[in-house]
Amino acid sequence: MVTVVLAVTGVVAVTLAVLLRRARLRHERALGERGWLLERERAAAARAAVDQERARIARELHDIVSHNVSVMIVQAGAAREVLATMPAEAGAALAAVERAGRDTMTELRHLLGLLAPDPSGEDPELAPQPTLARLSPLVDRIAFAGLPVEVRVSGAPRPLPTGIDVTAYRIVQEALTNALKHGSGGKAEVTIRWAETALRVEVLTTGPSVLTGDPAPAAAAGDGAGRGLAGLRERVAVYGGDLDARRRLGGGYRVRARLPLDRS
C-alpha cells in the first residue's frame, strides 16, 4: 500500500513538474510575442511620425516659397514695366522684392533650425513662426503687390495654441497669394472672428463671375484643390476643424475655415 502511494505521489509530482514546465514555456513564448508586437508597434509609430514630419516640412516649404516668391515675381515684373518711365516706383518695387527675399531666408533659416537646431539652443537670427500677430506685414506686402486687402476682426482676441495660430496665418497667406497669382485685379477681404469655442477665418476675393459665363483663371480651376490648400485642409483637420474653398457665384473665390478652441 505504501509503495502504491509513493508511486502515485511520484507520478503526480512528475506530472505537475511537466505541467509547470509547459506553463513556463507558454508564458515565455507569450512574453516574446508580446515584446515582438510592441517592437513592431513602436517601429510603425516611428515611421508614421517621420511621415507626418516630412509632410509638415513639405507644407512649410510650400507656404514659404510659394508666397514670398510669388510676391517677388509680381514686384519684379512691376519694376521692369516702369523702370524707364517711373524710376522711383521701380525702386520701391525692387525694395519690396528685397524684403520678400529677406523674409524668405529668415523663414527658411527658422525651418532648417527646427530640423538641425543649434547645439547652444539659441539662434538670434531665427524669427518666430508667423502668427496672426504678424498679419499686418503680410497684408501690406500683398497690397503693395497690387491686391487691395481689407481686414476685419470681430470678437475678443486671446492667446492661441501655437499650431492653431500658425495655421490661421497660413490660411490667410495661401488665399491671398492665390488671389495675387491667379486673379485679374479686384480686391480681397479678410475676416477673423473670435467666438467662444472657435476661431473662424474667411478670405473673400473678387474676380470673373460664373453667372456671366466668364471662365475662371486656368491655374485656379478646380475650386482650390491645389497642393497649398490641400495641405491646409490637413493642418486644419489635425485641430478638429474644417476648411472650405470654392469659387463664388458673384466672382472670385472664398476660403473659409473653422478652428475649434478650448473654452476659456
Side-chain angles (χ1 to χ4, degrees):
M1 185 65 180
V2 173
T3 303
V4 172
V5 171
L6 292 175
V8 171
T9 302
V11 170
V12 171
V14 171
T15 302
L16 289 176
V18 171
L19 293 176
L20 181 61
R21 176 61 179 169
R22 290 178 179 176
R24 183 177 296 129
L25 290 174
R26 285 196 299 269
H27 180 66
E28 290 175 354
R29 283 197 299 269
L31 288 177
E33 291 176 358
R34 183 180 179 185
W36 178 74
L37 290 174
L38 289 175
E39 186 61 30
R40 284 192 60 185
E41 290 177 358
R42 282 195 292 268
R47 286 194 299 269
V50 170
D51 291 341
Q52 291 175 0
E53 185 65 12
R54 286 176 176 172
R56 185 188 70 81
I57 293 169
R59 291 194 296 269
E60 286 290 336
L61 286 173
H62 171 271
D63 290 340
I64 293 170
V65 175
S66 176
H67 167 70
N68 288 314
V69 173
S70 295
V71 172
M72 293 167 68
I73 291 172
V74 172
Q75 293 290 356
R80 179 174 54 81
E81 291 291 335
V82 300
L83 184 60
T85 58
M86 305 173 68
E89 285 75 4
L94 291 174
V97 172
E98 182 181 3
R99 286 194 299 271
R102 291 183 184 278
D103 289 344
T104 302
M105 291 303 299
T106 297
E107 293 201 37
L108 286 175
R109 280 198 302 268
H110 175 78
L111 182 58
L112 294 176
L114 293 177
L115 296 175
D118 190 289
S120 66
E122 297 181 358
D123 189 344
E125 292 187 352
L126 297 182
Q129 283 278 33
T131 63
L132 291 178
R134 298 178 61 194
L135 199 57
S136 293
L138 168 67
V139 169
D140 290 343
R141 288 197 301 270
I142 293 292
F144 191 82
L147 179 67
V149 182
E150 180 182 354
V151 179
R152 301 172 181 172
V153 179
S154 63
R158 60 185 186 270
L160 293 172
T162 302
I164 291 180
D165 210 353
V166 173
T167 298
Y169 177 95
R170 294 302 190 192
I171 292 168
V172 177
Q173 181 185 52
E174 182 71 20
L176 293 180
T177 300
N178 285 342
L180 182 64
K181 287 194 298 184
H182 308 309
S184 53
K187 62 180 182 178
E189 296 179 1
V190 176
T191 302
I192 309 293
R193 295 188 179 93
W194 296 82
E196 183 180 0
T197 59
L199 175 70
R200 298 182 182 274
V201 179
E202 182 180 71
V203 181
L204 302 177
T205 61
T206 59
S209 172
V210 296
L211 297 177
T212 59
D214 296 331
D223 289 342
R227 178 190 176 105
L229 287 175
L232 286 177
R233 285 193 181 93
E234 294 178 11
R235 286 192 182 213
V236 172
V238 166
Y239 299 103
D242 51 75
L243 182 144
D244 178 72
R246 64 182 63 196
R247 195 177 180 199
R248 303 169 65 194
L249 290 177
Y253 281 80
R254 183 197 74 196
V255 177
R256 180 181 293 170
R258 178 188 61 85
L259 294 162
L261 302 176
D262 292 335
R263 294 176 181 269
S264 57

